[in-house]
């Protein structure tokens, strides 16, 4: 397991109600059957909205999540580089709240 994956898993497991799963063949965590974070290209991806989405997207190395690589990004999903790993837990918490409707 890479250091990026270890960090991702440690964050996801902090959410007792979340379950590990797959999305597009990649590891993800879900709440009530809906993905809120995943790991892609050794970077963590978050489903966000509003100001927190803008903040995450503004970080160096961040981009909209485009799992197909065909320039069709998923607009609510932000892929955040491991260089910003100190922000991952915060964004995961916000993503969980957003997907869970809280």
């Amino acid at each position: 397991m890479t250091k990026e994956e270890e960090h991702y898993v440690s964050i996801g497991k902090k959410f007792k109600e979340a379950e590990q799963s797959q999305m597009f063949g990649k590891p993800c965590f879900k709440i009530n059957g809906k993905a809120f974070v995943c790991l892609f290209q050794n970077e963590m991806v978050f489903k966000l909205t509003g100001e927190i989405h803008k903040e995450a997207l503004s970080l160096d190395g961040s981009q909209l999540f485009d799992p197909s690589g065909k320039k069709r990004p998923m607009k609510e999903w932000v892929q955040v580089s491991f260089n910003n790993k100190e922000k991952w837990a915060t964004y995961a918490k916000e993503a969980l709240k957003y997907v869970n409707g809280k």
Side-chain angles (χ1 to χ4, degrees):
M1 190 179 296
T2 65
K3 66 182 183 282
E4 295 88 353
E5 189 174 5
E6 286 176 1
H7 191 57
Y8 156 80
V9 169
S10 73
I11 290 169
K13 286 189 172 185
K14 289 179 184 173
F15 303 106
K16 304 271 188 254
E17 65 275 24
E19 63 177 289
Q20 283 186 275
S21 189
Q22 295 275 309
M23 180 175 82
F24 305 120
K26 302 296 180 197
C28 77
F29 280 89
K30 292 181 177 180
I31 183 74
N32 299 322
K34 296 185 224 170
F36 66 98
V37 295
C38 73
L39 188 71
F40 184 72
Q41 299 174 334
N42 281 323
E43 298 180 334
M44 200 160 173
V45 185
F46 310 88
K47 187 171 185 177
L48 300 168
T49 190
E51 291 302 314
I52 199 79
H53 180 278
K54 289 178 191 171
E55 177 188 309
L57 196 53
S58 75
L59 297 173
D60 283 344
S62 290
Q63 60 188 338
L64 290 176
F65 181 43
D66 184 9
S68 71
K70 296 181 180 177
K71 302 203 185 312
R72 293 184 300 194
M74 299 172 69
K75 296 187 184 342
E76 291 182 308
W77 290 81
V78 181
Q79 185 173 336
V80 178
S81 133
F82 189 67
N83 292 336
N84 294 300
K85 66 184 177 290
E86 72 282 351
K87 300 273 192 179
W88 283 12
T90 298
Y91 294 150
K93 183 178 178 182
E94 292 298 319
L96 176 75
K97 287 187 338 191
Y98 174 47
V99 170
N100 208 21
K102 295 184 178 180

